[in-house]
Amino acid sequence: MGKRTLRSCALFALTVLCVGISLPRVTAQQPQQTREGIVTTFAPLVEKVAPGVVTVFTTQTVSRGQTTSSFSDDALRQFFGGRAPQTQGKQTLQGLGSGVIVSPDGYILTANHVVSGAEEIMVGLGNDLRRSKAKKIGTDPGTDVALLKIDENNLPSVNFADSDKARAGDIVLAIGNPFGLRQTVTMGIISAVGRGGMGIVDYENFIQTDAAINMGNSGGALVDAQGRLLGINTAIFTRSGGNQGIGFAIPANLAREVMQSLRDKGRVVRGYIGTSVQTLTPEIADAMKLKGQLSGALVGEVEPNAPASKAGIKTGDVITAVNGKKVNDPRELRLMIGSMAPGTKVQIEVNREGQAKTFDVQLAEMPASAANEDTETSSEEPAQPQRTTVFGGVAITNITEDIRTALNLPKEIQGAVIADIDAESPAAKAGLREGDVIQEVNKQPVKNAKDLVAISKKLKPNEKILMRVYSQGRSGYVALEPK
């Protein structure tokens, strides 16, 4: 549900950029200065760094008419009424991005979205774009990092900076191939560090910069004033599709950790507790009667037999600290747990209905895929959508076999499906939409539409409503005012 917020924002479009950049190994090359200490040119630095920035060419064949998501607008229109557009045939897509040479023997870092789904990857070296076929060593969608390898030696490479020392106000250069223009350099400053909560990837800890980044810059280099790699450019916020001074880069330290794991194991190994968490909003905290709890990660779902479940953590708990370190939001919790090795024992502090509790949790390994392949369907008979008496503007129905298949609902998910919703209703404004499954109302389980109607009739006129809702593959909480 959190990612839905970005989708519905009319003023800002989150644009992921494809960029190619070359960064060579640099010595202590300093920008030229006048006697007064004012920097007059970065040309010597750029001349040393640019050969280590490469262009990444990708080719992919896609079939038209494929359903991209079980929650796509087309899937919902097809099931709840209307026709989905019918297209056929195949299409060859070509992409252009950037990459950074990080070792003389041909290892290249780029953004995962640059090479995701690519059937062929070619790397263009030097000003003449001499092409070399690249092998995909591994990818990590959780951070948007990918590692490539080309069969070349003695290549110019870029040294890593310690991105943990990056500060707002530091001068940075972005090097890449915006709009296919090779070896383009822009300058700016770091606008902020530790940016997250934008729904771009699962593990967000971005460096924000105002250095101009445009289409074609993804996978390119963000370097400091000494020519060291501070980050891999990945995305921008924009209204027009072009640069507007808000760009994001994956920190070099994070990219290096991912690179080492991909190089050694072919995948990224992360700690895992088995919870789905969300932001604790003031409205939800009020509905849960958690006065004074303004931060933390609200547990919306606990996976059976996962470390959190075994330790005693439950849905509705608010995780407030890990090993004594405060957890402000879900992003921080994911970064903390994901950076630890499986098998690590941690102390997790929670707020449970106003009471502080501590649990000892032994981390498991993050599963390769969180997708649930079970397809068992509900035995409920079809029912006509029913209007509730409290959730004004919301039509609900039971989970039938057709609905479970259309929405790809796991077998254990029970509740009432939203079949139609008024865009101006409190429920819609709280973030609910067609296809969401209401699982609980004020901690009372909802197994079907009849349960929801019965519970809604018992709610007091001025009572705040706390709902647990399954949406986009996970469960979470939503708070709203009664009708």
Side-chain angles (χ1 to χ4, degrees):
M1 287 176 289
K3 294 185 179 179
R4 180 183 321 132
T5 305
L6 282 178
R7 268 193 236 104
S8 62
C9 183
L11 293 179
F12 287 97
L14 181 62
T15 303
V16 177
L17 311 166
C18 291
V19 204
I21 27 183
S22 310
L23 301 177
R25 185 180 302 279
V26 291
T27 57
Q29 188 74 32
Q30 300 291 334
Q32 292 184 4
Q33 301 180 0
T34 64
R35 291 182 179 179
E36 292 78 18
I38 300 174
V39 176
T40 59
T41 180
F42 285 96
L45 182 152
V46 172
E47 289 169 359
K48 296 289 289 185
V49 172
V53 177
V54 299
T55 304
V56 178
F57 302 92
T58 63
T59 302
Q60 178 182 8
T61 301
V62 297
S63 297
R64 296 177 178 176
Q66 291 180 331
T67 301
T68 58
S69 170
S70 59
F71 282 89
S72 68
D73 290 339
D74 289 341
L76 288 173
R77 279 199 300 269
Q78 190 173 21
F79 186 77
F80 291 122
R83 285 187 172 181
Q86 300 296 316
T87 55
Q88 296 180 350
K90 293 185 177 181
Q91 182 179 10
T92 299
L93 302 179
Q94 293 183 331
L96 177 67
S98 301
V100 183
I101 302 174
V102 290
S103 67
D105 57 347
Y107 282 95
I108 296 169
L109 276 177
T110 186
N112 173 65
H113 71 264
V114 171
V115 297
S116 178
E119 297 162 0
E120 183 181 60
I121 304 172
M122 302 293 292
V123 170
L125 302 169
N127 290 329
D128 59 350
L129 288 183
R130 176 173 55 87
R131 297 199 181 193
S132 181
K133 188 172 183 178
K135 177 183 178 182
K136 190 187 298 183
I137 300 300
T139 63
D140 182 39
T143 56
D144 196 30
V145 172
L147 181 64
L148 308 178
K149 177 71 168 65
I150 59 176
D151 189 16
E152 299 276 352
N153 290 294
N154 301 318
L155 294 173
S157 62
V158 186
N159 290 333
F160 284 90
D162 183 355
S163 57
D164 289 343
K165 296 181 179 179
R167 301 178 301 170
D170 288 348
I171 292 175
V172 289
L173 304 178
I175 307 176
N177 306 286
F179 305 108
L181 300 173
R182 299 199 305 269
Q183 299 298 317
T184 297
V185 182
T186 56
M187 185 186 77
I189 63 171
I190 293 176
S191 305
V193 295
R195 285 293 195 215
M198 293 166 289
I200 304 174
V201 292
D202 290 334
Y203 298 90
E204 296 183 339
N205 192 29
F206 295 123
I207 296 172
Q208 180 183 331
T209 179
D210 68 348
I213 298 174
N214 289 287
M215 298 298 294
N217 279 109
S218 277
L222 188 73
V223 301
D224 63 14
Q226 282 72 49
R228 300 172 302 185
L229 184 65
L230 264 180
I232 302 295
N233 298 322
T234 185
I236 62 172
F237 270 126
T238 178
R239 292 172 175 167
S240 62
N243 172 67
Q244 291 188 298
I246 304 178
F248 300 101
I250 305 158
N253 288 359
L254 178 58
R256 179 164 50 187
E257 290 176 3
V258 172
M259 176 192 72
Q260 290 172 343
S261 186
L262 291 175
R263 186 170 179 174
D264 296 340
K265 302 177 181 179
R267 59 191 176 88
V268 177
V269 177
R270 292 191 174 94
Y272 178 71
I273 60 174
T275 61
S276 173
V277 294
Q278 66 183 93
T279 301
L280 180 67
T281 66
E283 294 79 13
I284 293 177
D286 188 28
M288 298 182 76
K289 299 179 173 56
L290 296 175
K291 294 183 179 180
Q293 184 66 53
L294 303 178
S295 62
L298 174 60
V299 178
E301 189 172 15
V302 180
E303 182 180 322
N305 300 318
S309 176
K310 293 178 180 179
I313 295 174
K314 299 179 180 180
T315 59
D317 287 348
V318 179
I319 297 177
T320 57
V322 175
N323 288 341
K325 185 175 181 180
K326 183 179 179 181
V327 173
N328 289 302
D329 53 42
R331 180 187 69 90
E332 288 190 356
L333 178 65
R334 281 191 290 269
L335 288 170
M336 287 181 189
I337 299 299
S339 65
M340 299 179 187
T344 303
K345 294 182 179 179
V346 298
Q347 281 193 334
I348 295 182
E349 299 172 33
V350 307
N351 181 335
R352 178 177 292 174
E353 297 181 346
Q355 299 295 318
K357 292 182 177 293
T358 301
F359 299 93
D360 294 323
V361 182
Q362 183 170 352
L363 305 184
E365 182 179 336
M366 173 73 72
S369 173
N372 192 324
E373 297 180 356
D374 294 325
T375 57
E376 184 175 326
T377 59
S378 171
S379 60
E380 293 287 344
E381 291 296 323
Q384 293 299 317
Q386 303 179 49
R387 293 283 174 179
T388 69
T389 58
V390 174
F391 311 130
V394 177
I396 59 169
T397 189
N398 290 327
I399 300 177
T400 65
E401 181 176 347
D402 288 339
I403 290 178
R404 191 178 292 277
T405 301
L407 299 181
N408 195 26
L409 298 177
K411 66 176 183 179
E412 68 272 12
I413 297 300
Q414 294 182 317
V417 178
I418 297 178
D420 189 26
I421 188 167
D422 184 347
E424 298 302 318
S425 68
K429 292 179 180 179
L432 297 178
R433 69 173 187 178
E434 292 178 355
D436 287 351
V437 180
I438 299 174
Q439 298 176 287
E440 292 180 6
V441 175
N442 289 348
K443 301 293 183 71
Q444 298 181 64
V446 174
K447 295 183 178 180
N448 49 45
K450 183 179 178 180
D451 284 352
L452 180 57
V453 173
I455 292 172
S456 68
K457 289 180 178 179
K458 296 178 182 179
L459 294 173
K460 298 177 182 179
N462 297 321
E463 185 177 1
K464 284 185 170 60
I465 303 168
L466 178 70
M467 293 190 292
R468 187 162 172 258
V469 179
Y470 183 86
S471 178
Q472 294 183 309
R474 62 182 61 185
S475 296
Y477 287 93
V478 173
L480 66 150
E481 300 287 341
K483 181 180 176 183

